[in-house]
Amino acid sequence: MSKNKAQNKVTWAEAFRDIVVASMDRGQLPILFLFGTIFALIWKLDSTDSLSLLSSVGSQLKDWYVYGYVLFFLSLFGWYKTAKMLRKMHFEECDRVGREKSDLQTKLLNHNQP
């Protein structure tokens, strides 16, 4: 195996690290943690246990026992959308201030030259 192929190979640990860092940058780490926990629970269950869990959750949804969880997921989704909107507004404001600063610096530089 050549050095280039060995250097370009990405391990599962590097991929997982990149996913976690990207989710932290975008404010999605709680969502990643929630899905990871659910995936781990489902992965460890037997097929019969997972079927009984699914039917139990379905009956609890029908009887409104899991209403708080539904509201929790809805609030998580709302939080995600709000954070995304606020992040976009913040970056737009930073760009506007940066352009305004650059324009003012250019005007002052041109004004001071004889």
Side-chain angles (χ1 to χ4, degrees):
M1 182 182 270
S2 69
K3 282 187 175 182
N4 285 341
K5 286 186 179 180
Q7 289 174 351
N8 290 337
K9 188 175 182 181
V10 178
T11 65
W12 70 269
E14 292 170 334
F16 182 74
R17 178 202 63 202
D18 292 342
I19 290 169
V20 170
V21 168
S23 68
M24 288 170 65
D25 286 342
R26 293 183 174 92
Q28 299 171 344
L29 189 61
I31 297 170
L32 178 68
F33 178 73
L34 180 70
F35 282 123
T37 304
I38 291 170
F39 179 76
L41 288 173
I42 291 172
W43 183 267
K44 291 295 182 180
L45 285 177
D46 293 333
S47 60
T48 57
D49 291 339
S50 62
L51 184 61
S52 66
L53 175 69
L54 185 61
S55 69
S56 171
V57 168
S59 68
Q60 288 176 355
L61 273 173
K62 191 164 57 169
D63 295 336
W64 296 96
Y65 289 134
V66 191
Y67 189 64
Y69 291 112
V70 172
L71 288 177
F72 171 71
F73 287 120
L74 287 175
S75 64
L76 254 180
F77 179 73
W79 165 79
Y80 167 74
K81 287 302 214 180
T82 303
K84 187 176 179 180
M85 179 189 65
L86 290 174
R87 190 171 43 252
K88 181 182 174 189
M89 288 172 52
H90 173 72
F91 286 131
E92 288 173 354
E93 182 65 14
C94 287
D95 287 342
R96 185 193 66 79
V97 169
R99 284 191 309 271
E100 194 171 311
K101 178 188 67 103
S102 297
D103 291 343
L104 185 59
Q105 286 175 340
T106 304
K107 286 178 186 177
L108 287 174
L109 198 83
N110 290 337
H111 180 67
N112 291 337
Q113 291 182 356

